[in-house]
């Protein structure tokens, strides 16, 4: 089967990583796979044998038209059996390109409960009929799209993201090595979060909570992996709160699996999520998780770890305090349960689901 994946971009991010992981696994099963990406440079790159096609879209009417024409030419030249788009801009623009370039099957996947405001919701609804299958990454995200009017009721399916269990391991020897290399302090404990520094991830709220936690637990440090437009503002907030060397901004990292293995606790403080892939990765790595009930995070955790209401900073503080109060036996039991749940989210199972969707007979 020839499969063309279309992504808005291939920078470091959960949705982008999912596209690359999907391409790698599909290629590993013998399919011809290519990725077209609309904007930016390809920070994430697939395995050899998966072709990359930059489309060079620009934020102007002329730039959008030219980008659509380039994507249309690629579709006609490459002749995929299936086109599978990911993220809001790729979804909407690929639907429009279908008007000028035949696609035997078009699957469109959203990756969040909220991909934009009223006009984006209308655009999704108006172009819905141009996709053969429309999906989102959790049941909650599907329900949110339906509530917002972005998808007709019953039309959008939930397909969970998958994690690469080969990269995220809780093996004791790997955890010990990661800890020794990254955080070799027996007298300190590490709280880790990872994600783009954007409003919906709520790092500002986490810093406020950590100010209180740091007073209770002087042996805990916070590391923030990821980059984004709010980095300078968050660093100023950190200084204003007097957190000093208790908080480290790591920037974009490619050793996230090692960071997760080194952590004592992983926290996700988001206001909005689609699936919460990073939570599943932390669970697979053996770190107890404290997360907000945003998007599909509750589906990911499935009763493991500490889940608190999004935006409730008091509850987040209590959960973090409880996580650092776990004795070794309780911590190990929680980590083992989380790992078992993460194994249910193995990307190989997700690939099986996608292949069934790709091969479905067209709807009458």
């Amino acid at each position: 089967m020839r499969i063309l994946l279309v992504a808005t971009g291939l920078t470091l991010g959960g949705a982008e990583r999912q596209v690359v992981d999907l391409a790698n696994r599909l290629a590993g099963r013998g399919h011809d796979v290519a990725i077209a990406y609309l904007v930016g440079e390809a920070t994430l790159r697939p395995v050899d044998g998966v072709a990359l096609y930059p489309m060079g879209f620009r934020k102007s009417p002329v730039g959008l038209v030219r980008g659509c024409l380039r994507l249309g030419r690629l579709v006609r030249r490459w002749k995929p059996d299936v086109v599978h788009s990911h993220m809001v801009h790729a979804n909407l623009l690929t639907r429009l390109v279908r008007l000028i370039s035949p696609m035997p099957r078009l699957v469109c996947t959203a990756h969040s409960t909220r991909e934009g405001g009223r006009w984006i919701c209308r655009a999704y609804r108006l172009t819905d009929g141009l996709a053969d299958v429309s999906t989102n990454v959790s049941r909650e995200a599907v329900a949110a799209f339906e509530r917002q009017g972005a998808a007709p009721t019953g039309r959008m399916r939930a397909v969970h993201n998958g994690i690469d269990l080969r990269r995220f391991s809780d093996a004791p020897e790997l955890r010990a090595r990661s800890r020794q290399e990254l955080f070799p302090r027996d007298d300190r404990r590490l709280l880790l979060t990872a994600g783009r520094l954007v409003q919906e991830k709520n790092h500002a709220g986490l810093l406020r909570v950590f100010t209180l936690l740091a007073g209770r637990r002087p042996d805990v440090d916070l590391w923030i992996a990821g980059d984004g437009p709010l980095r300078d503002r968050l660093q100023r907030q950190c200084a204003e709160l007097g957190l000093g060397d208790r908080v480290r901004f790591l920037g974009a990292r490619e050793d996230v699996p090692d960071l997760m293995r080194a952590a004592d606790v992983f926290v996700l403080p988001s206001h909005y999520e689609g699936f919460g892939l990073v939570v599943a990765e932390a669970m697979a790595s053996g770190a107890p998780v404290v997360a907000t009930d945003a998007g599909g995070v509750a589906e990911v955790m499935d009763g493991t770890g500490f889940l608190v209401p999004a935006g409730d900073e008091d509850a987040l503080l209590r959960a973090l305090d409880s996580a650092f109060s776990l004795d070794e036996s309780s911590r190990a039991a929680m980590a083992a349960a989380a790992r078992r749940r993460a194994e249910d989210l193995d990307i190989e199972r997700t690939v099986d689901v996608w292949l069934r969707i790709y091969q479905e007979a067209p709807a009458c």
Side-chain angles (χ1 to χ4, degrees):
M1 186 181 299
R2 289 174 66 81
I3 303 163
L4 177 64
L5 304 178
V6 184
T8 300
L10 288 179
T11 56
L12 291 172
E16 293 84 351
R17 167 56 67 185
Q18 187 68 187
V19 172
V20 171
D21 284 347
L22 177 58
N24 291 344
R25 294 306 179 93
L26 288 168
R29 296 193 186 191
H31 299 282
D32 293 330
V33 185
I35 303 176
Y37 57 100
L38 306 190
V39 298
E41 300 295 325
T43 304
L44 295 171
R45 305 187 74 86
V47 296
D48 292 342
V50 175
L52 285 179
Y53 296 101
M55 293 291 99
F57 276 71
R58 297 288 183 267
K59 291 184 179 180
S60 69
V62 172
L64 289 175
V65 169
R66 288 177 174 171
C68 286
L69 292 174
R70 279 191 290 271
L71 181 56
R73 286 194 294 271
L74 173 63
V75 170
R76 291 192 297 273
R77 183 176 74 250
W78 209 71
K79 294 182 173 58
D81 299 301
V82 176
V83 177
H84 186 178
S85 61
H86 294 259
M87 296 169 278
V88 54
H89 298 96
N91 289 336
L92 295 176
L93 291 168
T94 304
R95 289 176 179 184
L96 294 179
V97 168
R98 196 179 197 187
L99 296 172
I100 61 172
S101 294
M103 301 177 191
R105 191 162 184 78
L106 174 59
V107 179
C108 296
T109 296
H111 282 260
S112 182
T113 55
R114 192 174 97 168
E115 291 210 327
R118 180 177 60 184
W119 291 107
I120 291 294
C121 290
R122 287 187 178 181
Y124 260 116
R125 185 64 177 250
L126 288 171
T127 61
D128 182 77
L130 294 172
D132 295 294
V133 178
S134 180
T135 75
N136 212 322
V137 292
S138 66
R139 294 187 297 275
E140 174 55 33
V142 169
F145 262 56
E146 292 177 348
R147 288 193 300 269
Q148 296 160 17
T153 300
R155 159 75 168 155
M156 180 175 265
R157 309 183 196 181
V159 179
H160 285 162
N161 283 337
I163 57 173
D164 187 347
L165 291 174
R166 298 177 303 186
R167 296 179 63 232
F168 296 91
S169 170
D170 65 341
E173 64 275 13
L174 292 178
R175 286 182 57 81
R177 186 182 69 189
S178 296
R179 182 75 173 202
Q180 181 61 36
E181 290 176 354
L182 294 170
F183 196 74
R185 294 285 304 273
D186 293 334
D187 60 333
R188 310 292 303 167
R189 291 190 288 177
L190 177 60
L191 174 63
L192 175 70
T193 190
R196 276 181 49 77
L197 306 184
V198 292
Q199 198 72 35
E200 55 264 33
K201 300 297 184 180
N202 191 31
H203 293 92
L206 176 60
L207 288 176
R208 289 191 294 270
V209 169
F210 184 71
T211 302
L212 301 175
L213 183 70
R216 298 183 184 184
R217 298 190 174 274
D219 63 332
V220 175
D221 294 332
L222 169 63
W223 284 9
I224 300 174
D227 212 339
L230 296 186
R231 179 166 181 164
D232 289 345
R233 184 190 304 179
L234 292 168
Q235 287 179 319
R236 288 195 299 271
Q237 179 187 0
C238 190
E240 291 165 359
L241 292 172
L243 293 173
D245 59 1
R246 299 286 298 277
V247 177
R248 283 186 59 189
F249 288 85
L250 305 180
R253 300 282 291 242
E254 302 208 7
D255 60 345
V256 171
D258 287 313
L259 286 169
M260 288 180 170
R261 282 190 285 267
D264 293 287
V265 176
F266 181 86
V267 60
L268 184 82
S270 297
H271 288 308
Y272 303 102
E273 287 287 339
F275 179 69
L277 185 66
V278 70
V279 168
E281 293 169 347
M283 290 163 59
S285 303
V289 171
V290 175
T292 52
D293 188 5
V297 171
E299 295 170 42
V300 173
M301 295 178 69
D302 195 27
T304 65
F306 299 86
L307 186 70
V308 303
D312 189 334
E313 295 183 7
D314 290 336
L316 184 60
L317 174 62
R318 290 194 298 271
L320 286 169
D321 199 33
S322 296
F324 280 105
S325 297
L326 292 172
D327 59 37
E328 192 56 39
S329 175
S330 299
R331 185 188 188 283
M334 181 176 290
R339 173 70 189 190
R340 289 193 296 271
R341 169 56 183 154
E343 289 172 352
D344 293 337
L345 300 170
D346 185 357
I347 194 168
E348 292 292 353
R349 299 188 182 188
T350 303
V351 172
D352 290 339
V353 173
W354 285 127
L355 286 172
R356 287 196 294 269
I357 290 173
Y358 295 166
Q359 294 165 351
E360 285 176 356
C364 298

